[in-house]
Amino acid sequence: MKSLSSSIFSILLVLLFSQWAASLPETDHENFLQCLALNSDNSTSISKVIYTQNNSSYSSILEFSIQNLRFSTSTTPKPLVIVTPLQVSHIQASISCSQRHGMQIRVRSGGHDYEGLSFVSDVPFVIVDLINMSSISVDTENQTAWVQTGATIGQLYYRIAEKSKTLAFPAGVCPTVGVGGHFSGGGYGFLLRKYGLAADNIVDAQLIDAKGRFLDRNSMGEDLFWAIRGGGGASFGVIVAWKIKLVAVPPTVTVFNVQRTLEQNATKIILKWQQVADKVHEDLMIRIFLRSVNSSTEQGKKTMRALFESMFLGGVDQLLPLMQKSLPELGLVNEDCIEMSWIDSILYFAGFHNGESMDVLLDRTPTSRRFFKAKSDYVKEPIPETAWEGIYERFYEEEAEATEMILSPYGGKMSEISESEIPFPHRVGNLYKIHHSVYWEEEGNEIAQKHINWIRRLYSFVAPYVSKNPRAAYINYRDLDIGTNNNKGSYTSFKQASVWGVKYFKNNFNRLVHVKTKVDPANFFRNEQSIPPLSSWWNKRGD
């Protein structure tokens, strides 16, 4: 009893301190800067990685990795300070001083956050940008690698390929995505059906918690290690590095990229794809991009184009019989297929088709920066033809000039892993995942709202045909429409957070909340969709 009382008293003290700190004036960031210098192992070194709004490099550092231009406008809230740590002590000092001086921290690794949560906040905040912490060490003998969270997927793939042509890692296809957020939310690519998610293949991690402690898997404990592999690391601390298990790939893989319009029976092929894509051999992954295009047969008319993009872990001689058996409707022929190494397939799917050197994977400069809004869905039963026709009609609308749906099949390894193995729960029973997105080029809130309203209407239309209770979503395709926390210091109840939490994590949300309560009871690491601590016993009891 005494221990419980002591624990409650300690948590109350932390919470009261947090509330007091949050009330400090914005100008306190000057004291924050002094605090950084005093609390760093080397005040000279940390001064080189601090950027205030008066610094000439501030804007270029802030804007460099922002992918979604919705969060790069004159009215977007800006950080008072950006810290680009070179070492662990810089991160520890940033955490300590933010707590002392009422600043919130947002942690950025690649800048692909769909809702800008890693670099935007409505309260006084600091960005800890891990761009300088990007070292990678590959151990081919043990088939593992340590990768710091500021590295990109492209940099990781490059370092693996430097050492081996038959080792790989099951992460995404966009080379400029940072591994920090990608791995902590799940992370998937063309090896999904063979080896699962990036998060399924993490064997250790290094993290700095709210107390500034530097922890590895052993010292953080299995609960926290479980939580950061798919539960979103930013809720629990600053992840410094991941230790990953590399996977085997053959010397030759086969890729194809085949387009079919509605006039070429695209709908018939999609209907059959829904029946087989999750059941074919796990070495084969076929995803579909759906876009509207101008008809080649009727001037002034729109049609739909389905792009079937695939990688097979083997040669074309094995692939063609497999496709003839499972999806003959596509009419795949030898001329559609290209044999290459796994690393060359990475370049291929990233859009480098002209024999570029794999050195392009080291370039973390965003290849395209656009305004966009995205959503996600999971499909458990094939969507009927009449529904596809309704989807097409919406794609022909004016606001849908630059839109797409990406259908990514599950099955294989994804059906073999338990829903509770890691926080990412979307496993057996899912035929495929949908990524809905709309893009636009013009600035302005009115234009943005027009396109956002369009994707919300599409999302409403497909509701009867996707997962229910909950309508599931993928955290790495962050979507604030599905629910948010009270981010300006006020308490968020478990009930309120569950509105969005169970969509991302299903039954795992409850365990994530308990881990959060244990490791960060004052909710220092928070954002609009961070895991909240259980605090109903002291505030809004019974909510």
Side-chain angles (χ1 to χ4, degrees), residues 470-486:
R471 183 176 183 177
Y474 176 37
I475 189 173
N476 275 358
Y477 296 152
R478 184 85 70 175
D479 178 11
L480 295 185
D481 288 352
I482 69 173
T484 61
N485 297 334
N486 303 317

Side-chain angles (χ1 to χ4, degrees), residues 178-431:
V179 304
H182 186 64
F183 292 6
S184 71
Y188 77 97
F190 276 96
L191 295 175
L192 170 79
R193 303 188 64 253
K194 179 73 171 182
Y195 291 115
L197 306 169
D200 292 325
N201 292 276
I202 293 168
V203 294
D204 203 344
Q206 295 172 341
L207 171 143
I208 302 170
D209 69 3
K211 296 180 180 178
R213 297 177 299 183
F214 181 76
L215 308 171
D216 62 6
R217 178 175 182 172
N218 183 55
S219 54
M220 77 175 71
E222 288 303 300
D223 279 349
L224 181 52
F225 183 63
W226 173 86
I228 61 176
R229 292 175 295 149
S235 294
F236 304 98
V238 179
I239 298 166
V240 176
W242 302 104
K243 186 179 183 182
I244 58 175
K245 177 180 63 181
L246 305 181
V247 300
V249 290
T252 298
V253 305
T254 304
V255 303
F256 66 79
N257 193 320
V258 174
Q259 301 179 18
R260 297 286 186 264
T261 63
L262 296 186
E263 295 76 13
Q264 297 168 314
N265 290 321
T267 302
K268 178 183 176 183
I269 305 169
I270 292 168
L271 292 173
K272 180 62 179 294
W273 175 92
Q274 289 186 120
Q275 301 284 348
V276 302
D278 68 311
K279 301 174 184 67
V280 297
H281 195 282
E282 62 184 13
D283 286 350
L284 178 60
M285 168 90 163
I286 311 169
R287 66 176 182 169
I288 302 175
F289 288 78
L290 274 175
R291 298 171 180 140
S292 65
V293 294
N294 293 322
S295 173
S296 60
T297 58
E298 293 186 53
Q299 190 171 2
K301 186 181 177 184
K302 292 272 192 179
T303 187
M304 294 295 294
R305 182 184 69 196
L307 179 88
F308 296 84
E309 188 176 67
S310 177
M311 183 179 74
F312 173 66
L313 296 173
V316 67
D317 290 345
Q318 300 166 279
L319 173 61
L320 289 176
L322 194 58
M323 288 296 295
Q324 184 58 35
K325 179 181 177 183
S326 58
L327 193 59
E329 292 81 358
L330 184 60
L332 188 74
V333 295
N334 191 84
E335 290 72 27
D336 296 323
C337 304
I338 311 171
E339 292 185 336
M340 57 180 64
S341 67
W342 172 77
I343 193 64
D344 284 337
S345 77
I346 295 297
L347 296 173
Y348 178 86
F349 292 125
F352 301 110
H353 294 169
N354 301 314
E356 287 95 342
S357 161
M358 72 175 190
D359 290 353
V360 297
L361 296 175
L362 299 175
D363 184 1
R364 60 189 302 150
T365 307
T367 51
S368 64
R369 288 158 51 88
R370 293 181 288 179
F371 298 90
F372 71 88
K373 171 68 179 175
K375 292 176 166 294
S376 59
D377 269 312
Y378 286 88
V379 178
K380 293 179 174 291
E381 299 289 339
I383 295 177
E385 185 171 359
T386 53
W388 285 114
E389 290 169 353
I391 290 169
Y392 301 160
E393 288 301 316
R394 283 152 182 80
F395 268 69
Y396 299 150
E397 294 174 6
E398 180 188 352
E399 300 91 336
E401 186 177 351
T403 58
E404 68 181 8
M405 287 175 66
I406 307 175
L407 319 179
S408 299
Y410 272 37
K413 186 70 172 178
M414 290 298 286
S415 294
E416 298 171 11
I417 299 172
S418 164
E419 285 192 357
S420 59
E421 181 70 21
I422 64 172
F424 181 98
H426 315 296
R427 306 288 187 171
V428 67
N430 290 295
L431 302 181

Side-chain angles (χ1 to χ4, degrees), residues 4-25:
L4 177 62
S5 300
S6 175
S7 175
I8 292 174
F9 179 72
S10 298
I11 293 174
L12 273 172
L13 279 179
V14 174
L15 291 167
L16 288 170
F17 173 81
S18 176
Q19 289 179 321
W20 168 80
S23 69
L24 292 176

